[in-house]
Amino acid sequence: MLDIAPLVRVHVDAWIAAQNDMGVCDAIARNAPVGKPTAVSAPHLPKVAGIDSAVPSPTHTATPLPGVPAAPLPPGALIQDRLAGWVSDLTTLHELTERLVRTGSLDDALHELLSAGASLVGARRGMAVLEPADGLGPATTVGFGLAHADLGTIETVPRSATSFGRILEGLPDPVAIPGPVAVPDLLGEAELDPRHREVAARLGYAASYALPLATEAAGRLGAVVWLYDEPAEPSERRRHLVGLYGRYATEHLARLLELERARVQVATVAEELLPSRLPRVPGVQLAARHRTGPQGGGDWYDALPLPEGALGLAVGSVSGTGPSALAAMGRLRASLRAYAVMEGEDPVAVLSDLELLLRLTEPARSATALFAYCEPKQRKIVLAGAGHTPPLIIGDHRTEFVETSLSAPLGMLACWEAPSVELVPAPGETVLLYTDGLLRRTGDPIDRAFARLHAAAVSVPKADRTDPAAVADHVLRTMLPDGLGDTADGEDVVLLAARFE
């Protein structure tokens, strides 16, 4: 048994604990045993990426002078040096993975992967190609230190001639996991594709190191490549570190990819449940804007032609998020269309029937709704609301909210009934229906959000007031200048604008 000082033994125990916590115990096995001191301190190190061979060796490993006996090494000095290097590597991996796990979108994660990988392999530029092997997408290319035009230039090179292309297309089996591809001297390769040589010379890179984004659990998601300005390649230690980081990044990307696909599917279902196009009714122009939240809410709108040239307009919101809310929204909208055809001239009766249906079929769910029966030729509107936000009239001479009677949402009372309201918009005025998601997305208290909505409607340019789509877009941009964003609690936003001629 070696006689190791107590301090060294404590360091060994702490290091082993850190290895177990990080889950990279294979870092020990992947490192070769320490050789003799003179072999470690060779004066001429080979040139590798990110390591300067001109930096002098540490004093305790310096080559002894000729004729002078070497000083004896302190007990455990080599073990301490090696453990210090391993602890430093583990600390670096921990910091980089912590930064990666805080990313919430595929683009952010790919940019973080490129940046962290560049520091690990000692490169300055790189690009990531996301192409899941299952073919379900999404497919994207992200650059690091490369302009959009540079990415386009690289994509003109045949994939079979690039290092990342060998990973993406080199194996016919989509389940197989390829290894990294290092090209230490691109311009020195006699068999390099002429087009690749031309692109490399134009962009100024001379070497590359490509890493697959693939694990047994996640499958093959794509590849990432880092580019060097001069002929170089990462050392074995750097390859091992970036390999560990790449496997962790692949698992994180797989989780984000699953979330992104779920969001796209929910958004697609929500759009399919809404009108594919708005009807054309003489005397009125229609425009709608619908933005689905990340989790998929139950906000909806509808516009349907009714007998004798009438028009039914409706907006509403179902409680909850996700597929169940979307299904409930589809059922509620379909039921309202049926009631509107049968007794649309009486909005109170339409909402009363809807209240009864919701209470009998889905007693645990509530909803808000507003239905308006319009006669465009007479510019007459009769509307009723159930717990819904009041419409807004926008015109050259007035911009005001419609005073509707107060009512609880559907499903909240044993029997719902509230009086309807009649209004006659002037020629050229626009009636704006919307859901409360527009107000809640601002993050302001509800009274302040209403004030912001009124101010946004007042500020609609006069030239845009002849187009209901321009009115809706202006209100949306003014209320949410930073866009809708992708916050997890983001609600749906619906606007339905009707301009009467």
Side-chain angles (χ1 to χ4, degrees):
M1 180 175 179
L2 294 177
D3 186 12
I4 302 176
L7 180 60
V8 176
R9 289 200 295 271
V10 172
H11 288 173
V12 173
D13 294 340
W15 171 74
I16 293 176
Q19 292 282 5
N20 292 331
D21 292 340
M22 288 296 295
V24 289
C25 296
D26 57 338
I28 307 174
R30 297 289 292 271
N31 288 273
V34 177
K36 297 181 179 180
T38 56
V40 176
S41 58
H44 299 290
L45 296 175
K47 181 177 181 182
V48 294
I51 298 180
D52 188 0
S53 59
V55 177
S57 302
T59 55
H60 66 271
T61 60
T63 304
L65 297 175
V68 179
L73 295 174
L78 293 179
I79 297 179
Q80 286 183 337
D81 286 349
R82 195 170 181 185
L83 293 183
W86 283 338
V87 171
S88 176
D89 291 344
L90 291 173
T91 303
T92 300
L93 282 176
H94 177 71
E95 293 176 353
L96 294 179
T97 53
E98 283 290 319
R99 285 167 46 184
L100 178 67
V101 78
R102 286 194 292 266
T103 58
S105 66
L106 286 174
D107 283 346
D108 291 343
L110 289 173
H111 280 100
E112 178 61 31
L113 166 62
L114 286 170
S115 176
S119 65
L120 289 175
V121 301
R124 191 173 62 89
R125 293 177 290 177
M127 62 180 290
V129 180
L130 185 67
E131 289 184 5
D134 57 13
L136 300 179
T140 184
T141 301
V142 176
F144 173 72
L146 296 170
H148 185 72
D150 297 336
L151 295 178
T153 302
I154 295 176
E155 289 179 349
T156 61
V157 180
R159 278 200 167 180
S160 58
T162 63
S163 56
F164 68 90
R166 300 175 199 173
I167 293 176
L168 294 174
E169 302 179 355
L171 294 177
D173 184 5
V175 181
I177 300 177
V181 178
V183 185
D185 188 2
L186 277 169
L187 302 180
E189 284 195 358
E191 299 180 356
L192 185 67
D193 186 277
R195 181 59 182 166
H196 195 186
R197 187 185 305 274
E198 177 185 349
V199 170
R202 181 187 304 178
L203 299 182
Y205 64 88
S208 65
Y209 183 73
L211 189 71
L213 298 176
T215 62
E216 293 182 0
R220 293 171 57 187
L221 303 184
V224 59
V225 59
W226 291 279
L227 307 175
Y228 300 94
D229 297 341
E230 298 178 356
E233 62 178 321
S235 64
E236 182 64 26
R237 166 180 162 270
R238 287 176 175 265
R239 291 189 186 197
H240 180 54
L241 288 177
V242 77
L244 293 174
Y245 180 77
R247 287 195 290 272
Y248 183 88
T250 301
E251 297 292 341
H252 182 63
L253 287 171
R255 291 189 290 269
L256 294 178
L257 183 64
E258 185 177 355
L259 290 175
E260 181 64 23
R261 288 176 174 177
R263 291 175 183 176
V264 171
Q265 292 173 356
V266 168
T268 302
V269 172
E271 292 297 331
E272 291 297 326
L273 290 175
L274 296 176
S276 58
R277 58 187 179 88
L278 296 174
R280 294 184 178 181
V281 178
V284 64
Q285 296 176 283
L286 300 175
R289 296 293 181 264
H290 178 243
R291 303 292 185 268
T292 303
Q295 296 183 355
D299 289 14
W300 55 276
Y301 69 92
D302 203 354
L304 65 157
L306 297 175
E308 300 180 359
L311 174 69
L313 300 177
V315 292
S317 177
V318 176
S319 61
T321 58
S324 63
L326 291 177
M329 177 262 283
R331 293 191 293 267
L332 197 69
R333 173 176 170 265
S335 301
L336 186 141
R337 290 175 70 93
Y339 297 146
V341 170
M342 292 186 295
E343 48 192 2
E345 66 280 358
D346 186 0
V348 172
V350 172
L351 295 184
S352 298
D353 293 341
L354 204 62
E355 155 70 22
L356 179 60
L357 176 70
L358 187 67
R359 182 157 43 87
L360 293 177
T361 59
E362 300 186 62
R365 192 181 299 276
S366 64
T368 66
L370 187 146
F371 178 73
Y373 179 81
C374 308
E375 298 178 89
K377 294 181 179 179
Q378 290 78 24
R379 293 193 309 277
K380 177 183 176 182
I381 301 176
V382 180
L383 61 88
H388 204 79
T389 51
L392 186 63
I393 298 180
I394 305 172
D396 294 335
H397 304 289
R398 62 170 176 170
T399 299
E400 60 188 22
F401 290 101
V402 178
E403 293 186 3
T404 58
S405 58
L406 296 177
S407 172
L410 301 174
M412 299 292 289
L413 300 175
C415 180
W416 180 90
E417 185 172 345
S420 59
V421 176
E422 182 176 325
L423 64 144
V424 179
E429 289 187 333
T430 299
V431 178
L432 182 66
L433 311 181
Y434 55 93
T435 59
D436 59 356
L438 177 65
L439 305 175
R440 298 183 185 279
R441 281 272 191 163
T442 63
D444 295 334
I446 195 68
D447 54 344
R448 176 180 263 176
F450 273 116
R452 287 184 59 176
L453 176 58
H454 185 270
V458 171
S459 65
V460 174
K462 189 174 183 179
D464 292 342
R465 297 192 178 188
T466 59
D467 183 4
V471 172
D473 289 336
H474 177 85
V475 170
L476 194 59
R477 287 193 307 266
T478 307
M479 291 287 289
L480 306 173
D482 298 329
L484 296 178
D486 294 323
T487 56
D489 58 347
E491 300 186 20
D492 290 5
V493 174
V494 166
L495 291 91
L496 178 60
R499 180 182 182 273
F500 291 83
E501 300 174 352

